[in-house]
Amino acid sequence: MSVKELPTELPEVDLSGLGSKQPNTDYEIQHDGYDNHLRIFPERPGPEPTITNEEPQEQLDQLGPEEVWDEMVRRALELPGVSEHDSVISVKGARAFWLDKDAIKGPQDSLIMETEFAHIHPRPDSSWHLQLPHELAVLAISAGWGRIHTVVWMGDAPANSMMLYSPRNEEEMEVIWSLVEESHRYATGQPQSFKIEPRIAG
């Protein structure tokens, strides 16, 4: 079956008759183990927020304070080559960040549309939509900081089109902001600053 022939909707699965297994204990790790390995990226604590399943993709709860929203907008406007314009795709009131044309040196999938590389939703929502390098998109999703944009499943956006959840405090803001910076670096053709490699304690 080719990808184009995959069904768009699947039936619910009855879990009651399915099998189960115990964790495998007969396995040898092929190195010195993970005891001294540190997490390379923080995990977002608690459950995921409630997100709409259709356009517009919005976060409905766990919304952070307004001062966090203000600070992120301030920082975004200080990024090199960035100016604010109306978003060509987001909800009314979103703050959209566009790059000067001569600053765009990243691949085509580094921009949302035209020269808009990111936008933040209007208060009280402070979630972001942006593009990330693919490995960082995987990392952000795995650590609970966001999800793929709804329209990716419809084939209307590249697979690195992300929603990042509203940061609930200053500590979470720094994590989200680091990803916004990486999105800007991606669109301006700069090397990724975050390295995905083992960290050893001590």
Side-chain angles (χ1 to χ4, degrees), residues 23-194:
N24 195 322
T25 58
D26 184 21
Y27 177 76
E28 293 185 12
I29 296 176
Q30 304 300 312
H31 51 72
D32 60 355
Y34 297 107
D35 292 343
N36 293 327
H37 289 214
L38 303 174
R39 284 186 177 272
I40 63 170
F41 201 78
E43 187 174 5
R44 183 183 183 275
E48 285 192 283
T50 305
I51 306 297
T52 57
N53 291 324
E54 297 179 353
E55 280 280 80
Q57 187 185 41
E58 297 181 280
Q59 182 172 333
L60 303 180
D61 56 19
Q62 300 188 39
L63 303 175
E66 290 189 356
E67 55 266 27
V68 166
W69 187 93
D70 292 339
E71 175 62 13
M72 290 193 295
V73 169
R74 184 192 69 78
R75 292 185 187 186
L77 290 173
E78 291 182 349
L79 290 170
V82 169
S83 56
E84 182 181 352
H85 300 276
D86 291 337
S87 176
V88 293
I89 198 167
S90 190
V91 295
K92 290 182 179 180
R95 305 287 291 270
F97 306 103
W98 293 53
L99 283 169
D100 298 339
K101 288 187 177 180
D102 60 0
I104 300 171
K105 302 185 186 308
Q108 187 173 357
D109 67 2
S110 67
L111 298 171
I112 295 175
M113 192 172 288
E114 297 186 21
T115 72
E116 180 180 340
F117 82 94
H119 59 249
I120 186 172
H121 279 187
R123 295 170 171 171
D125 184 355
S126 54
S127 62
W128 287 81
H129 283 139
L130 45 68
Q131 310 297 112
L132 285 176
H134 287 263
E135 62 180 4
L136 282 184
V138 170
L139 189 64
I141 295 167
S142 300
W145 295 101
R147 65 172 64 177
I148 291 297
H149 197 290
T150 303
V151 297
V152 171
W153 307 113
M154 305 171 190
D156 291 328
N160 61 326
S161 302
M162 288 285 304
M163 170 189 240
L164 298 180
Y165 301 144
S166 172
R168 298 166 292 188
N169 52 44
E170 290 185 3
E171 291 78 14
E172 292 189 1
M173 179 186 70
E174 295 302 334
V175 177
I176 294 297
W177 179 249
S178 71
L179 294 169
V180 176
E181 286 184 306
E182 291 288 5
S183 178
H184 176 264
R185 294 176 68 85
Y186 189 46
T188 54
Q190 300 177 70
Q192 181 175 299
S193 64
F194 184 81

